[in-house]
mmCIF file with all atom_site columns, all heavy atoms in Angstrom:
data_model
loop_
_atom_site.group_PDB
_atom_site.id
_atom_site.type_symbol
_atom_site.label_atom_id
_atom_site.label_alt_id
_atom_site.label_comp_id
_atom_site.label_asym_id
_atom_site.label_entity_id
_atom_site.label_seq_id
_atom_site.pdbx_PDB_ins_code
_atom_site.Cartn_x
_atom_site.Cartn_y
_atom_site.Cartn_z
_atom_site.occupancy
_atom_site.B_iso_or_equiv
_atom_site.pdbx_formal_charge
_atom_site.auth_seq_id
_atom_site.auth_comp_id
_atom_site.auth_asym_id
_atom_site.auth_atom_id
_atom_site.pdbx_PDB_model_num
ATOM   1   N  N   . THR Y 1 169 ? 13.067 -5.930  -9.392  1.00 98.00 ? 169 THR Y N   1
ATOM   2   C  CA  . THR Y 1 169 ? 13.767 -4.682  -9.727  1.00 98.00 ? 169 THR Y CA  1
ATOM   3   C  C   . THR Y 1 169 ? 15.263 -4.902  -9.792  1.00 98.00 ? 169 THR Y C   1
ATOM   4   O  O   . THR Y 1 169 ? 15.968 -4.143  -10.456 1.00 98.00 ? 169 THR Y O   1
ATOM   5   C  CB  . THR Y 1 169 ? 13.488 -3.604  -8.660  1.00 98.00 ? 169 THR Y CB  1
ATOM   6   O  OG1 . THR Y 1 169 ? 13.828 -4.119  -7.368  1.00 98.00 ? 169 THR Y OG1 1
ATOM   7   C  CG2 . THR Y 1 169 ? 12.033 -3.163  -8.678  1.00 98.00 ? 169 THR Y CG2 1
ATOM   8   N  N   . HIS Y 1 170 ? 15.784 -5.908  -9.072  1.00 98.00 ? 170 HIS Y N   1
ATOM   9   C  CA  . HIS Y 1 170 ? 17.200 -6.233  -9.085  1.00 98.00 ? 170 HIS Y CA  1
ATOM   10  C  C   . HIS Y 1 170 ? 17.420 -7.526  -8.329  1.00 98.00 ? 170 HIS Y C   1
ATOM   11  O  O   . HIS Y 1 170 ? 16.475 -8.076  -7.773  1.00 98.00 ? 170 HIS Y O   1
ATOM   12  C  CB  . HIS Y 1 170 ? 18.007 -5.086  -8.471  1.00 98.00 ? 170 HIS Y CB  1
ATOM   13  C  CG  . HIS Y 1 170 ? 17.784 -4.843  -7.006  1.00 98.00 ? 170 HIS Y CG  1
ATOM   14  N  ND1 . HIS Y 1 170 ? 16.561 -4.365  -6.525  1.00 98.00 ? 170 HIS Y ND1 1
ATOM   15  C  CD2 . HIS Y 1 170 ? 18.569 -5.022  -5.923  1.00 98.00 ? 170 HIS Y CD2 1
ATOM   16  C  CE1 . HIS Y 1 170 ? 16.659 -4.245  -5.183  1.00 98.00 ? 170 HIS Y CE1 1
ATOM   17  N  NE2 . HIS Y 1 170 ? 17.852 -4.652  -4.820  1.00 98.00 ? 170 HIS Y NE2 1
ATOM   18  N  N   . ILE Y 1 171 ? 18.676 -7.955  -8.304  1.00 97.00 ? 171 ILE Y N   1
ATOM   19  C  CA  . ILE Y 1 171 ? 18.990 -9.154  -7.497  1.00 97.00 ? 171 ILE Y CA  1
ATOM   20  C  C   . ILE Y 1 171 ? 19.262 -8.666  -6.084  1.00 97.00 ? 171 ILE Y C   1
ATOM   21  O  O   . ILE Y 1 171 ? 20.172 -7.896  -5.842  1.00 97.00 ? 171 ILE Y O   1
ATOM   22  C  CB  . ILE Y 1 171 ? 20.170 -9.918  -8.137  1.00 97.00 ? 171 ILE Y CB  1
ATOM   23  C  CG1 . ILE Y 1 171 ? 19.668 -10.480 -9.473  1.00 97.00 ? 171 ILE Y CG1 1
ATOM   24  C  CG2 . ILE Y 1 171 ? 20.668 -11.017 -7.191  1.00 97.00 ? 171 ILE Y CG2 1
ATOM   25  C  CD1 . ILE Y 1 171 ? 20.680 -11.147 -10.322 1.00 97.00 ? 171 ILE Y CD1 1
ATOM   26  N  N   . HIS Y 1 172 ? 18.413 -9.150  -5.178  1.00 96.00 ? 172 HIS Y N   1
ATOM   27  C  CA  . HIS Y 1 172 ? 18.419 -8.616  -3.793  1.00 96.00 ? 172 HIS Y CA  1
ATOM   28  C  C   . HIS Y 1 172 ? 19.543 -9.208  -2.947  1.00 96.00 ? 172 HIS Y C   1
ATOM   29  O  O   . HIS Y 1 172 ? 19.938 -10.344 -3.156  1.00 96.00 ? 172 HIS Y O   1
ATOM   30  C  CB  . HIS Y 1 172 ? 17.062 -8.935  -3.135  1.00 96.00 ? 172 HIS Y CB  1
ATOM   31  C  CG  . HIS Y 1 172 ? 15.919 -8.340  -3.893  1.00 96.00 ? 172 HIS Y CG  1
ATOM   32  N  ND1 . HIS Y 1 172 ? 15.502 -7.032  -3.718  1.00 96.00 ? 172 HIS Y ND1 1
ATOM   33  C  CD2 . HIS Y 1 172 ? 15.087 -8.876  -4.819  1.00 96.00 ? 172 HIS Y CD2 1
ATOM   34  C  CE1 . HIS Y 1 172 ? 14.498 -6.794  -4.509  1.00 96.00 ? 172 HIS Y CE1 1
ATOM   35  N  NE2 . HIS Y 1 172 ? 14.203 -7.903  -5.203  1.00 96.00 ? 172 HIS Y NE2 1
ATOM   36  N  N   . ALA Y 1 173 ? 19.946 -8.411  -1.955  1.00 93.00 ? 173 ALA Y N   1
ATOM   37  C  CA  . ALA Y 1 173 ? 21.023 -8.841  -1.057  1.00 93.00 ? 173 ALA Y CA  1
ATOM   38  C  C   . ALA Y 1 173 ? 20.551 -8.965  0.392   1.00 93.00 ? 173 ALA Y C   1
ATOM   39  O  O   . ALA Y 1 173 ? 21.256 -9.470  1.232   1.00 93.00 ? 173 ALA Y O   1
ATOM   40  C  CB  . ALA Y 1 173 ? 22.190 -7.850  -1.129  1.00 93.00 ? 173 ALA Y CB  1
ATOM   41  N  N   . ASP Y 1 174 ? 19.368 -8.464  0.663   1.00 91.00 ? 174 ASP Y N   1
ATOM   42  C  CA  . ASP Y 1 174 ? 18.916 -8.393  2.053   1.00 91.00 ? 174 ASP Y CA  1
ATOM   43  C  C   . ASP Y 1 174 ? 17.819 -9.387  2.384   1.00 91.00 ? 174 ASP Y C   1
ATOM   44  O  O   . ASP Y 1 174 ? 17.531 -9.630  3.543   1.00 91.00 ? 174 ASP Y O   1
ATOM   45  C  CB  . ASP Y 1 174 ? 18.398 -7.000  2.358   1.00 91.00 ? 174 ASP Y CB  1
ATOM   46  C  CG  . ASP Y 1 174 ? 17.161 -6.736  1.513   1.00 91.00 ? 174 ASP Y CG  1
ATOM   47  O  OD1 . ASP Y 1 174 ? 17.237 -6.894  0.298   1.00 91.00 ? 174 ASP Y OD1 1
ATOM   48  O  OD2 . ASP Y 1 174 ? 16.108 -6.436  2.102   1.00 91.00 ? 174 ASP Y OD2 1
ATOM   49  N  N   . HIS Y 1 175 ? 17.171 -9.928  1.372   1.00 94.00 ? 175 HIS Y N   1
ATOM   50  C  CA  . HIS Y 1 175 ? 16.118 -10.938 1.621   1.00 94.00 ? 175 HIS Y CA  1
ATOM   51  C  C   . HIS Y 1 175 ? 16.170 -11.949 0.482   1.00 94.00 ? 175 HIS Y C   1
ATOM   52  O  O   . HIS Y 1 175 ? 16.682 -11.651 -0.605  1.00 94.00 ? 175 HIS Y O   1
ATOM   53  C  CB  . HIS Y 1 175 ? 14.734 -10.308 1.740   1.00 94.00 ? 175 HIS Y CB  1
ATOM   54  C  CG  . HIS Y 1 175 ? 14.199 -9.742  0.449   1.00 94.00 ? 175 HIS Y CG  1
ATOM   55  N  ND1 . HIS Y 1 175 ? 14.385 -8.454  0.037   1.00 94.00 ? 175 HIS Y ND1 1
ATOM   56  C  CD2 . HIS Y 1 175 ? 13.546 -10.357 -0.585  1.00 94.00 ? 175 HIS Y CD2 1
ATOM   57  C  CE1 . HIS Y 1 175 ? 13.842 -8.254  -1.126  1.00 94.00 ? 175 HIS Y CE1 1
ATOM   58  N  NE2 . HIS Y 1 175 ? 13.330 -9.409  -1.539  1.00 94.00 ? 175 HIS Y NE2 1
ATOM   59  N  N   . HIS Y 1 226 ? 22.624 1.052   -7.360  1.00 97.00 ? 226 HIS Y N   1
ATOM   60  C  CA  . HIS Y 1 226 ? 22.538 0.155   -6.199  1.00 97.00 ? 226 HIS Y CA  1
ATOM   61  C  C   . HIS Y 1 226 ? 23.126 -1.199  -6.601  1.00 97.00 ? 226 HIS Y C   1
ATOM   62  O  O   . HIS Y 1 226 ? 23.947 -1.768  -5.885  1.00 97.00 ? 226 HIS Y O   1
ATOM   63  C  CB  . HIS Y 1 226 ? 21.070 0.027   -5.782  1.00 97.00 ? 226 HIS Y CB  1
ATOM   64  C  CG  . HIS Y 1 226 ? 20.851 -1.019  -4.736  1.00 97.00 ? 226 HIS Y CG  1
ATOM   65  N  ND1 . HIS Y 1 226 ? 21.428 -0.974  -3.482  1.00 97.00 ? 226 HIS Y ND1 1
ATOM   66  C  CD2 . HIS Y 1 226 ? 20.106 -2.182  -4.747  1.00 97.00 ? 226 HIS Y CD2 1
ATOM   67  C  CE1 . HIS Y 1 226 ? 21.059 -2.051  -2.790  1.00 97.00 ? 226 HIS Y CE1 1
ATOM   68  N  NE2 . HIS Y 1 226 ? 20.275 -2.794  -3.552  1.00 97.00 ? 226 HIS Y NE2 1
ATOM   69  N  N   . THR Y 1 227 ? 22.703 -1.703  -7.770  1.00 97.00 ? 227 THR Y N   1
ATOM   70  C  CA  . THR Y 1 227 ? 23.396 -2.813  -8.434  1.00 97.00 ? 227 THR Y CA  1
ATOM   71  C  C   . THR Y 1 227 ? 23.446 -2.420  -9.916  1.00 97.00 ? 227 THR Y C   1
ATOM   72  O  O   . THR Y 1 227 ? 22.738 -1.485  -10.344 1.00 97.00 ? 227 THR Y O   1
ATOM   73  C  CB  . THR Y 1 227 ? 22.606 -4.148  -8.318  1.00 97.00 ? 227 THR Y CB  1
ATOM   74  O  OG1 . THR Y 1 227 ? 21.352 -3.988  -9.004  1.00 97.00 ? 227 THR Y OG1 1
ATOM   75  C  CG2 . THR Y 1 227 ? 22.358 -4.556  -6.858  1.00 97.00 ? 227 THR Y CG2 1
ATOM   76  N  N   . GLU Y 1 229 ? 22.296 -3.929  -12.497 1.00 98.00 ? 229 GLU Y N   1
ATOM   77  C  CA  . GLU Y 1 229 ? 21.102 -4.186  -13.305 1.00 98.00 ? 229 GLU Y CA  1
ATOM   78  C  C   . GLU Y 1 229 ? 19.874 -3.440  -12.782 1.00 98.00 ? 229 GLU Y C   1
ATOM   79  O  O   . GLU Y 1 229 ? 18.828 -3.496  -13.424 1.00 98.00 ? 229 GLU Y O   1
ATOM   80  C  CB  . GLU Y 1 229 ? 20.815 -5.716  -13.331 1.00 98.00 ? 229 GLU Y CB  1
ATOM   81  C  CG  . GLU Y 1 229 ? 20.197 -6.324  -12.074 1.00 98.00 ? 229 GLU Y CG  1
ATOM   82  C  CD  . GLU Y 1 229 ? 21.171 -6.492  -10.937 1.00 98.00 ? 229 GLU Y CD  1
ATOM   83  O  OE1 . GLU Y 1 229 ? 22.379 -6.267  -11.149 1.00 98.00 ? 229 GLU Y OE1 1
ATOM   84  O  OE2 . GLU Y 1 229 ? 20.768 -6.871  -9.827  1.00 98.00 ? 229 GLU Y OE2 1
ATOM   85  N  N   . SER Y 1 230 ? 19.960 -2.789  -11.628 1.00 98.00 ? 230 SER Y N   1
ATOM   86  C  CA  . SER Y 1 230 ? 18.758 -2.201  -10.988 1.00 98.00 ? 230 SER Y CA  1
ATOM   87  C  C   . SER Y 1 230 ? 17.895 -1.439  -11.986 1.00 98.00 ? 230 SER Y C   1
ATOM   88  O  O   . SER Y 1 230 ? 18.378 -0.629  -12.765 1.00 98.00 ? 230 SER Y O   1
ATOM   89  C  CB  . SER Y 1 230 ? 19.180 -1.234  -9.855  1.00 98.00 ? 230 SER Y CB  1
ATOM   90  O  OG  . SER Y 1 230 ? 19.539 -1.942  -8.713  1.00 98.00 ? 230 SER Y OG  1
ATOM   91  N  N   . GLY Y 1 243 ? 12.386 -0.213  -6.287  1.00 98.00 ? 243 GLY Y N   1
ATOM   92  C  CA  . GLY Y 1 243 ? 13.292 -1.166  -5.704  1.00 98.00 ? 243 GLY Y CA  1
ATOM   93  C  C   . GLY Y 1 243 ? 14.160 -0.507  -4.650  1.00 98.00 ? 243 GLY Y C   1
ATOM   94  O  O   . GLY Y 1 243 ? 13.652 0.216   -3.806  1.00 98.00 ? 243 GLY Y O   1
ATOM   95  N  N   . ASP Y 1 244 ? 15.494 -0.711  -4.776  1.00 97.00 ? 244 ASP Y N   1
ATOM   96  C  CA  . ASP Y 1 244 ? 16.414 -0.068  -3.810  1.00 97.00 ? 244 ASP Y CA  1
ATOM   97  C  C   . ASP Y 1 244 ? 17.179 1.081   -4.443  1.00 97.00 ? 244 ASP Y C   1
ATOM   98  O  O   . ASP Y 1 244 ? 18.270 1.451   -3.990  1.00 97.00 ? 244 ASP Y O   1
ATOM   99  C  CB  . ASP Y 1 244 ? 17.410 -1.103  -3.266  1.00 97.00 ? 244 ASP Y CB  1
ATOM   100 C  CG  . ASP Y 1 244 ? 16.723 -2.154  -2.415  1.00 97.00 ? 244 ASP Y CG  1
ATOM   101 O  OD1 . ASP Y 1 244 ? 15.537 -1.997  -2.129  1.00 97.00 ? 244 ASP Y OD1 1
ATOM   102 O  OD2 . ASP Y 1 244 ? 17.402 -3.121  -2.036  1.00 97.00 ? 244 ASP Y OD2 1
ATOM   103 N  N   . THR Y 1 245 ? 16.622 1.671   -5.507  1.00 98.00 ? 245 THR Y N   1
ATOM   104 C  CA  . THR Y 1 245 ? 17.292 2.809   -6.144  1.00 98.00 ? 245 THR Y CA  1
ATOM   105 C  C   . THR Y 1 245 ? 16.953 4.113   -5.404  1.00 98.00 ? 245 THR Y C   1
ATOM   106 O  O   . THR Y 1 245 ? 17.803 4.902   -5.091  1.00 98.00 ? 245 THR Y O   1
ATOM   107 C  CB  . THR Y 1 245 ? 16.887 2.908   -7.613  1.00 98.00 ? 245 THR Y CB  1
ATOM   108 O  OG1 . THR Y 1 245 ? 17.408 1.734   -8.283  1.00 98.00 ? 245 THR Y OG1 1
ATOM   109 C  CG2 . THR Y 1 245 ? 17.390 4.154   -8.289  1.00 98.00 ? 245 THR Y CG2 1
ATOM   110 N  N   . PHE Y 1 247 ? 14.459 5.666   -2.131  1.00 97.00 ? 247 PHE Y N   1
ATOM   111 C  CA  . PHE Y 1 247 ? 13.542 5.488   -1.017  1.00 97.00 ? 247 PHE Y CA  1
ATOM   112 C  C   . PHE Y 1 247 ? 12.869 6.844   -0.742  1.00 97.00 ? 247 PHE Y C   1
ATOM   113 O  O   . PHE Y 1 247 ? 13.177 7.831   -1.410  1.00 97.00 ? 247 PHE Y O   1
ATOM   114 C  CB  . PHE Y 1 247 ? 14.313 4.993   0.223   1.00 97.00 ? 247 PHE Y CB  1
ATOM   115 C  CG  . PHE Y 1 247 ? 15.022 3.686   -0.034  1.00 97.00 ? 247 PHE Y CG  1
ATOM   116 C  CD1 . PHE Y 1 247 ? 16.363 3.673   -0.324  1.00 97.00 ? 247 PHE Y CD1 1
ATOM   117 C  CD2 . PHE Y 1 247 ? 14.323 2.491   -0.038  1.00 97.00 ? 247 PHE Y CD2 1
ATOM   118 C  CE1 . PHE Y 1 247 ? 17.032 2.479   -0.577  1.00 97.00 ? 247 PHE Y CE1 1
ATOM   119 C  CE2 . PHE Y 1 247 ? 14.980 1.291   -0.279  1.00 97.00 ? 247 PHE Y CE2 1
ATOM   120 C  CZ  . PHE Y 1 247 ? 16.330 1.295   -0.568  1.00 97.00 ? 247 PHE Y CZ  1
ATOM   121 N  N   . GLY Y 1 252 ? 19.697 4.205   -2.666  1.00 96.00 ? 252 GLY Y N   1
ATOM   122 C  CA  . GLY Y 1 252 ? 20.236 2.861   -2.463  1.00 96.00 ? 252 GLY Y CA  1
ATOM   123 C  C   . GLY Y 1 252 ? 21.744 2.921   -2.185  1.00 96.00 ? 252 GLY Y C   1
ATOM   124 O  O   . GLY Y 1 252 ? 22.443 3.815   -2.636  1.00 96.00 ? 252 GLY Y O   1
ATOM   125 N  N   . ARG Y 1 253 ? 22.239 1.918   -1.421  1.00 96.00 ? 253 ARG Y N   1
ATOM   126 C  CA  . ARG Y 1 253 ? 23.686 1.861   -1.184  1.00 96.00 ? 253 ARG Y CA  1
ATOM   127 C  C   . ARG Y 1 253 ? 24.346 1.265   -2.416  1.00 96.00 ? 253 ARG Y C   1
ATOM   128 O  O   . ARG Y 1 253 ? 23.804 0.355   -3.067  1.00 96.00 ? 253 ARG Y O   1
ATOM   129 C  CB  . ARG Y 1 253 ? 23.973 1.047   0.065   1.00 96.00 ? 253 ARG Y CB  1
ATOM   130 C  CG  . ARG Y 1 253 ? 23.479 -0.403  -0.006  1.00 96.00 ? 253 ARG Y CG  1
ATOM   131 C  CD  . ARG Y 1 253 ? 23.620 -1.142  1.291   1.00 96.00 ? 253 ARG Y CD  1
ATOM   132 N  NE  . ARG Y 1 253 ? 24.995 -1.212  1.747   1.00 96.00 ? 253 ARG Y NE  1
ATOM   133 C  CZ  . ARG Y 1 253 ? 25.367 -1.418  3.010   1.00 96.00 ? 253 ARG Y CZ  1
ATOM   134 N  NH1 . ARG Y 1 253 ? 24.438 -1.617  3.915   1.00 96.00 ? 253 ARG Y NH1 1
ATOM   135 N  NH2 . ARG Y 1 253 ? 26.649 -1.477  3.336   1.00 96.00 ? 253 ARG Y NH2 1
ATOM   136 N  N   . LEU Y 1 256 ? 27.253 -3.063  -2.196  1.00 91.00 ? 256 LEU Y N   1
ATOM   137 C  CA  . LEU Y 1 256 ? 27.134 -4.499  -1.907  1.00 91.00 ? 256 LEU Y CA  1
ATOM   138 C  C   . LEU Y 1 256 ? 27.685 -5.302  -3.071  1.00 91.00 ? 256 LEU Y C   1
ATOM   139 O  O   . LEU Y 1 256 ? 27.449 -5.005  -4.232  1.00 91.00 ? 256 LEU Y O   1
ATOM   140 C  CB  . LEU Y 1 256 ? 25.672 -4.878  -1.611  1.00 91.00 ? 256 LEU Y CB  1
ATOM   141 C  CG  . LEU Y 1 256 ? 25.101 -4.305  -0.322  1.00 91.00 ? 256 LEU Y CG  1
ATOM   142 C  CD1 . LEU Y 1 256 ? 23.636 -4.674  -0.170  1.00 91.00 ? 256 LEU Y CD1 1
ATOM   143 C  CD2 . LEU Y 1 256 ? 25.916 -4.788  0.901   1.00 91.00 ? 256 LEU Y CD2 1
ATOM   144 N  N   . GLY Y 1 289 ? 11.250 -0.281  -2.441  1.00 98.00 ? 289 GLY Y N   1
ATOM   145 C  CA  . GLY Y 1 289 ? 11.352 -1.681  -2.144  1.00 98.00 ? 289 GLY Y CA  1
ATOM   146 C  C   . GLY Y 1 289 ? 11.554 -1.993  -0.658  1.00 98.00 ? 289 GLY Y C   1
ATOM   147 O  O   . GLY Y 1 289 ? 11.507 -3.161  -0.261  1.00 98.00 ? 289 GLY Y O   1
ATOM   148 N  N   . HIS Y 1 290 ? 11.842 -0.967  0.128   1.00 95.00 ? 290 HIS Y N   1
ATOM   149 C  CA  . HIS Y 1 290 ? 12.097 -1.175  1.546   1.00 95.00 ? 290 HIS Y CA  1
ATOM   150 C  C   . HIS Y 1 290 ? 11.688 0.049   2.345   1.00 95.00 ? 290 HIS Y C   1
ATOM   151 O  O   . HIS Y 1 290 ? 11.614 1.129   1.814   1.00 95.00 ? 290 HIS Y O   1
ATOM   152 C  CB  . HIS Y 1 290 ? 13.596 -1.371  1.832   1.00 95.00 ? 290 HIS Y CB  1
ATOM   153 C  CG  . HIS Y 1 290 ? 14.106 -2.661  1.401   1.00 95.00 ? 290 HIS Y CG  1
ATOM   154 N  ND1 . HIS Y 1 290 ? 15.022 -2.791  0.415   1.00 95.00 ? 290 HIS Y ND1 1
ATOM   155 C  CD2 . HIS Y 1 290 ? 13.794 -3.902  1.795   1.00 95.00 ? 290 HIS Y CD2 1
ATOM   156 C  CE1 . HIS Y 1 290 ? 15.304 -4.044  0.216   1.00 95.00 ? 290 HIS Y CE1 1
ATOM   157 N  NE2 . HIS Y 1 290 ? 14.568 -4.756  1.024   1.00 95.00 ? 290 HIS Y NE2 1
ATOM   158 N  N   . PRO Y 1 335 ? 24.349 -5.792  5.424   1.00 80.00 ? 335 PRO Y N   1
ATOM   159 C  CA  . PRO Y 1 335 ? 23.317 -6.659  6.010   1.00 80.00 ? 335 PRO Y CA  1
ATOM   160 C  C   . PRO Y 1 335 ? 23.905 -8.029  6.331   1.00 80.00 ? 335 PRO Y C   1
ATOM   161 O  O   . PRO Y 1 335 ? 24.805 -8.492  5.599   1.00 80.00 ? 335 PRO Y O   1
ATOM   162 C  CB  . PRO Y 1 335 ? 22.259 -6.795  4.902   1.00 80.00 ? 335 PRO Y CB  1
ATOM   163 C  CG  . PRO Y 1 335 ? 22.687 -5.936  3.762   1.00 80.00 ? 335 PRO Y CG  1
ATOM   164 C  CD  . PRO Y 1 335 ? 24.090 -5.458  4.015   1.00 80.00 ? 335 PRO Y CD  1
ATOM   165 N  N   . ARG Y 1 364 ? 19.278 -3.101  5.486   1.00 67.00 ? 364 ARG Y N   1
ATOM   166 C  CA  . ARG Y 1 364 ? 20.190 -1.947  5.487   1.00 67.00 ? 364 ARG Y CA  1
ATOM   167 C  C   . ARG Y 1 364 ? 20.552 -1.582  4.066   1.00 67.00 ? 364 ARG Y C   1
ATOM   168 O  O   . ARG Y 1 364 ? 21.705 -1.629  3.679   1.00 67.00 ? 364 ARG Y O   1
ATOM   169 C  CB  . ARG Y 1 364 ? 21.438 -2.248  6.289   1.00 67.00 ? 364 ARG Y CB  1
ATOM   170 C  CG  . ARG Y 1 364 ? 21.183 -2.547  7.757   1.00 67.00 ? 364 ARG Y CG  1
ATOM   171 C  CD  . ARG Y 1 364 ? 22.466 -2.410  8.547   1.00 67.00 ? 364 ARG Y CD  1
ATOM   172 N  NE  . ARG Y 1 364 ? 22.310 -2.973  9.865   1.00 67.00 ? 364 ARG Y NE  1
ATOM   173 C  CZ  . ARG Y 1 364 ? 22.792 -4.183  10.216  1.00 67.00 ? 364 ARG Y CZ  1
ATOM   174 N  NH1 . ARG Y 1 364 ? 23.469 -4.902  9.344   1.00 67.00 ? 364 ARG Y NH1 1
ATOM   175 N  NH2 . ARG Y 1 364 ? 22.617 -4.631  11.432  1.00 67.00 ? 364 ARG Y NH2 1
ATOM   176 N  N   . CYS Y 1 365 ? 19.532 -1.287  3.251   1.00 70.00 ? 365 CYS Y N   1
ATOM   177 C  CA  . CYS Y 1 365 ? 19.803 -1.011  1.834   1.00 70.00 ? 365 CYS Y CA  1
ATOM   178 C  C   . CYS Y 1 365 ? 19.867 0.477   1.530   1.00 70.00 ? 365 CYS Y C   1
ATOM   179 O  O   . CYS Y 1 365 ? 20.271 0.863   0.450   1.00 70.00 ? 365 CYS Y O   1
ATOM   180 C  CB  . CYS Y 1 365 ? 18.749 -1.657  0.963   1.00 70.00 ? 365 CYS Y CB  1
ATOM   181 S  SG  . CYS Y 1 365 ? 19.049 -3.403  0.771   1.00 70.00 ? 365 CYS Y SG  1
ATOM   182 N  N   . ALA Y 1 366 ? 19.414 1.302   2.503   1.00 76.00 ? 366 ALA Y N   1
ATOM   183 C  CA  . ALA Y 1 366 ? 19.310 2.725   2.206   1.00 76.00 ? 366 ALA Y CA  1
ATOM   184 C  C   . ALA Y 1 366 ? 20.435 3.561   2.787   1.00 76.00 ? 366 ALA Y C   1
ATOM   185 O  O   . ALA Y 1 366 ? 20.981 3.225   3.836   1.00 76.00 ? 366 ALA Y O   1
ATOM   186 C  CB  . ALA Y 1 366 ? 17.982 3.223   2.770   1.00 76.00 ? 366 ALA Y CB  1
HETATM 187 FE FE1 . FE2 S 2 .   ? 18.792 -4.338  -2.724  1.00 72.72 ? 401 FE2 S FE1 1
#
Side-chain angles (χ1 to χ4, degrees):
T169 54
H170 66 292
I171 293 174
H172 301 277
D174 64 306
H175 69 267
H226 172 62
T227 64
E229 77 283 354
S230 281
D244 293 352
T245 294
F247 301 100
R253 62 187 299 160
L256 292 177
H290 287 115
R364 298 198 193 102
C365 282

